[in-house]
Amino acid sequence: MSEEKYKHFQDLILQFARETTASGRQTLEEHLWEEFGAERVVFVLDMSGFSLLTRKYGIIHYLSMVSRMQLISEPIIKTYGGSLIKYEADNCFAVFPDTLSAIHAAITLQLAFEASNLLTSDDLDVHISCGIDHGRILIVGNEDCFGDAVNRACKLGEDVAAKGEILVTKDAIDTISTDLEFKTSEVNISISGLAISAYSIDYRSRN
């Protein structure tokens, strides 16, 4: 079913690319958003140090670390109500129904990897960074997701956040209606022509 849904999505995108009229493209775009659109919190996890570790220890060594990241991350994501979308290289993509759930999952993941690293040698330690954003996106079954919130979460998690860091956009933070249990530090980011207002989560301190 998931493969059929993805093929249907690709067929609609191809129709859009071939459509020559503005009204026809608008109709297809509305159809795509109606069928695949959803408002979600996007979570992107990235393993730190891919290039350096691969060069130093080899790809097989690093792939074993990726496998451990996947084994640890999936149950934690599901525990907090998240839906795993995909693993791509050393990245994990998931969506959550609300921002707090995504942040709590990110904090638990950071602490889980810290605990796991106590049992491994330094060369096998897994360190992660996380990016979180909120918005209306396209979700294609369990295959993939697309949208501005996906792009921004990727930028934060992969390109900006340091190991051990959790970065959350202001748009996502603004959806939280309760008092935060942790401290945040505001950061303003400019990357690839994008200006992103975000917060770094200090999960070791409590407000």
Side-chain angles (χ1 to χ4, degrees), residues 1 53 66 77 88 137:
M1 177 63 76
L53 287 170
V66 171
I77 287 168
E88 188 174 81
I137 61 172

Side-chain angles (χ1 to χ4, degrees), residues 68-80:
R68 186 154 64 94
M69 178 273 285
Q70 294 176 356
L71 287 171
I72 292 174
S73 61
E74 183 172 2
I76 291 174
I77 287 168
K78 291 181 177 179
T79 294
Y80 287 94

Side-chain angles (χ1 to χ4, degrees), residues 103-145:
I103 293 174
H104 284 307
I107 292 172
T108 302
L109 282 162
Q110 293 285 7
L111 298 177
F113 283 110
E114 285 185 12
S116 175
N117 289 342
L118 295 175
L119 305 175
T120 59
S121 57
D122 291 348
D123 61 315
L124 286 171
D125 286 352
V126 174
H127 299 281
I128 64 168
S129 55
C130 303
I132 297 172
D133 194 15
H134 167 270
R136 187 159 173 78
I137 61 172
L138 297 168
I139 303 177
V140 189
N142 297 320
E143 301 291 331
D144 219 332
C145 56

Side-chain angles (χ1 to χ4, degrees), residues 2 6 9-10 36 84-86 88 93 95 137-147 150:
S2 183
Y6 193 79
F9 175 80
Q10 292 293 340
F36 298 99
L84 180 66
I85 298 297
K86 64 178 180 177
E88 188 174 81
F93 292 77
V95 293
I137 61 172
L138 297 168
I139 303 177
V140 189
N142 297 320
E143 301 291 331
D144 219 332
C145 56
F146 306 93
V150 179

Side-chain angles (χ1 to χ4, degrees), residues 2-68:
S2 183
E3 291 182 3
E4 292 177 3
K5 198 173 186 69
Y6 193 79
K7 184 179 184 304
H8 176 53
F9 175 80
Q10 292 293 340
D11 288 342
L12 289 173
I13 292 295
L14 186 58
Q15 288 181 43
F16 183 93
R18 291 173 173 171
E19 177 58 52
T20 58
T21 67
S23 61
R25 287 193 295 273
Q26 182 177 350
T27 298
L28 284 166
E29 183 171 353
E30 291 173 354
H31 185 149
L32 280 158
W33 279 108
E34 181 178 351
E35 184 169 353
F36 298 99
E39 189 170 334
R40 294 288 188 274
V41 175
V42 181
F43 167 90
V44 176
L45 175 157
D46 180 59
M47 286 176 59
S48 303
F50 172 80
S51 299
L52 180 61
L53 287 170
T54 301
R55 179 176 291 274
K56 187 173 182 178
Y57 298 111
I59 188 62
I60 293 176
H61 179 102
Y62 196 75
L63 288 175
S64 74
M65 297 170 66
V66 171
S67 179
R68 186 154 64 94

Side-chain angles (χ1 to χ4, degrees), residues 107 110-111 114 164 181-183 201-206:
I107 292 172
Q110 293 285 7
L111 298 177
E114 285 185 12
E181 306 168 14
F182 36 75
K183 294 181 180 179
I201 306 298
D202 183 2
Y203 50 91
R204 300 190 185 285
S205 299
R206 298 285 176 176

